[in-house]
């Protein structure tokens, strides 16, 4: 028969688990509730370096205009159809669903040119890039999951990608996330080098190649992470 002490220990453990889950849920809810993450980082509203001048603004998946949806789809196709190859048709459908999800959060990159139309009204600034991210949970760790970072070819190679990744890391830390997580195609060697060499991401313990090396080698992607606290590091980096 279970002793009273053992019963009390189980109740205490259940209580601790429920409290931890409640704290995680509250953290994700609080982070997702903020309408403009850029408000905390005014210097990041503009990027003016290396002959490139653009402005940034926040957005969310369930508030995208038809025009913005089309711009996102076009940029995704231009950048990702090649790396995905024959898998693109199926992957494109997945990305279309993901981009309009209520939990999807965005940073949009627009031209900073104040061109005027014949009616003296500002013309719509073209979408030169975007970041799609979400606040979510991996292995009971709160994380900012980077779904997409896409830049038009005309603005690549000017430091904008690193600038955006710095901003995303600041957003993650400011909202008390335990880590920044992303998925990258193995075939995209430039992206792998960018994240792992320049930004010091590591292959996460939840990546297929580490979960089951024999099976994971067949997958065409890796999950990378950058952790911000010991708990996240122990679970998302070092777990065996």
């Amino acid at each position: 028969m279970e002793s009273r002490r053992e019963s009390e220990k189980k109740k205490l453990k259940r209580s601790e688990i429920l409290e931890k889950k409640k704290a995680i849920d509250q953290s994700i809810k609080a982070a997702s509730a903020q309408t403009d993450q850029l408000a905390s980082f005014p210097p990041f509203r503009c990027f003016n370096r290396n002959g490139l001048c653009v402005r940034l603004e926040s957005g969310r998946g369930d508030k995208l205009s038809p025009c913005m949806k089309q711009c996102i789809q076009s940029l995704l196709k231009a950048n990702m159809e090649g790396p995905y190859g024959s898998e693109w048709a199926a992957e494109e459908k997945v990305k279309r669903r993901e981009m309009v999800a209520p939990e999807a959060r965005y940073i949009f990159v627009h031209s900073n040119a104040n061109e005027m139309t014949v009616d003296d009204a500002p013309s719509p600034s073209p979408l030169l890039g975007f970041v799609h991210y979400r606040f979510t949970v991996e292995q009971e760790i709160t994380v900012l999951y980077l779904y997409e970072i896409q830049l038009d070819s005309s603005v690549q190679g000017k430091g904008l990608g690193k600038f955006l990744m710095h901003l995303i890391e600041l957003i993650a830390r400011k909202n008390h996330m335990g880590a920044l997580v992303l998925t990258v195609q193995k075939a995209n060697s430039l992206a792998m080098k960018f994240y792992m060499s320049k930004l010091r991401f590591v292959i996460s313990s939840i990546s297929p190649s580490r979960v089951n090396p024999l099976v994971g080698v067949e997958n065409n992607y890796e999950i990378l992470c950058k952790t911000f606290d010991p708990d996240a590091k122990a679970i998302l980096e070092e777990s065996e």
Side-chain angles (χ1 to χ4, degrees):
M1 181 178 291
E2 185 178 59
S3 70
R4 182 176 179 180
R5 180 173 295 179
E6 289 174 341
S7 177
E8 289 176 349
K9 283 184 178 180
K10 286 184 177 180
K11 286 182 180 180
L12 180 60
K13 187 172 183 178
R14 282 197 296 269
S15 177
E16 290 174 346
I17 291 172
L18 290 173
E19 284 298 318
K20 182 178 180 180
K21 184 179 184 303
K22 183 179 178 181
I24 288 173
D25 291 344
Q26 288 177 339
S27 181
I28 297 297
K29 185 176 181 180
S32 300
Q34 298 185 48
T35 57
D36 183 12
Q37 294 288 346
L38 282 167
S40 299
F41 309 103
F44 283 84
R45 287 195 180 275
C46 292
F47 176 89
N48 189 358
R49 301 176 194 171
N50 302 319
L52 177 64
C53 184
V54 296
R55 61 182 176 82
L56 277 58
E57 65 177 26
S58 298
R60 49 185 292 167
D62 55 356
K63 302 292 185 182
L64 298 178
S65 67
C67 179
M68 184 59 76
K69 291 177 186 178
Q70 185 59 51
C71 288
I72 290 173
Q73 290 169 9
S74 297
L75 193 50
L76 277 168
K77 184 174 183 178
N79 288 351
M80 304 306 294
E81 187 173 20
Y84 274 101
S86 61
E87 298 177 1
W88 174 245
E91 188 64 27
E92 185 178 28
K93 293 179 181 178
V94 173
K95 291 184 180 297
R96 285 187 178 186
R97 290 195 300 269
E98 291 176 343
M99 77 178 191
V100 296
E103 60 269 26
R105 296 293 179 268
Y106 286 91
I107 300 295
F108 297 119
V109 180
H110 295 286
S111 168
N112 209 28
N114 292 317
E115 299 176 357
M116 304 300 286
T117 66
V118 292
D119 297 320
D120 291 332
S123 60
S125 296
L127 182 68
L128 297 176
F130 70 90
V131 179
H132 168 190
Y133 65 97
R134 303 185 188 188
F135 298 105
T136 186
V137 180
E138 290 287 348
Q139 303 294 307
E140 298 186 345
I141 298 294
T142 57
V143 305
L144 186 155
Y145 207 116
L146 180 64
Y147 273 60
E148 304 282 352
I149 176 168
Q150 301 291 345
L151 299 178
D152 186 83
S153 59
S154 66
V155 298
Q156 294 178 15
K158 298 178 183 293
L160 179 58
K162 193 171 184 179
F163 177 84
L164 290 169
M165 288 303 298
H166 186 197
L167 170 61
I168 289 299
E169 181 174 337
L170 289 174
I171 291 173
R173 290 178 179 274
K174 183 249 181 186
N175 286 280
H176 309 293
M177 297 294 106
L180 176 54
V181 180
L182 59 89
T183 302
V184 62
Q185 295 293 111
K186 290 180 179 178
N188 195 340
S189 57
L190 289 177
M192 289 288 285
K193 183 178 180 180
F194 173 67
Y195 291 124
M196 298 187 72
S197 298
K198 291 188 176 182
L199 302 181
R200 298 187 178 181
F201 277 73
V202 299
I203 296 176
S204 175
S205 60
I206 63 175
S207 190
S209 66
R210 289 192 60 190
V211 172
N212 189 333
L214 294 178
V215 177
V217 71
E218 299 176 2
N219 290 89
N220 59 7
Y221 67 92
E222 295 283 10
I223 298 175
L224 308 183
C225 71
K226 177 183 279 191
T227 57
F228 308 134
D229 62 53
D231 289 344
K233 184 178 179 67
I235 294 174
L236 295 178
E237 285 190 27
E238 299 171 350
S239 294
E240 295 295 338

